[in-house]
Amino acid sequence: MNTQVIVLNGGSSSGKSGIARCLQAVLPEPWLTLGVDTLIEAMPASMRAVGAGIEFGADGQVTVGPAFRQLDAAWGQGIAAMVRAGAHVIVDEVFLGGAASQERWRSALNGLEVLWVGVRCDSATAAGRETARGDRVSGMAESQAYAVHDGVIYDLEVDTTRTEPIGCARAIAAHIASASAVHVD
């Protein structure tokens, strides 16, 4: 079977969104890109209140509550349903819980062909990008740079510290092509 879902996991400002856009350009069929930022933008503002859903601390720490978890679970199941209906999807995600977050996604994507990609970036580079972006809480990139990979098992890892998103996307596309060639009878 061919890859149906690409899960890009990395900390804030690690380069996942840039890689996703480049993947859309280099992969031969159309791919949708959906991620945790899309989910958060779709939530009502009240979900960003203390204890309600998701909180962004002044130090960059992110805390999620049960209301967020419930919507996040539905989100994962919805993405899986789109894939089962024929869409190819790139998931742009931040595994705040490391291996436990991956397990939630494994459960949602059960039965689908998933490529798990770790997007690494050293914390200083990610923090510099975070500052340049201006749309993130300062400290988020540094606090997530390594923690999101804790216990996570990948098929492939890329590092955006010195590699541009297009280079990472090409490496991912090449991995998919070689995996597809292995499955051809």
Side-chain angles (χ1 to χ4, degrees), residues 31-92:
W31 286 73
L32 299 173
T33 298
L34 300 166
V36 68
D37 288 343
T38 313
L39 171 62
I40 292 168
E41 288 170 14
M43 291 180 173
S46 62
M47 290 288 295
R48 292 184 201 102
V50 175
I54 187 166
E55 297 176 47
F56 300 95
D59 60 354
Q61 291 296 325
V62 180
T63 307
V64 297
F68 179 88
R69 286 276 179 237
Q70 182 180 11
L71 289 175
D72 187 49
W75 175 255
Q77 292 297 322
I79 288 175
M82 286 191 295
V83 174
R84 289 186 178 93
H88 288 88
V89 177
I90 302 163
V91 177
D92 175 343

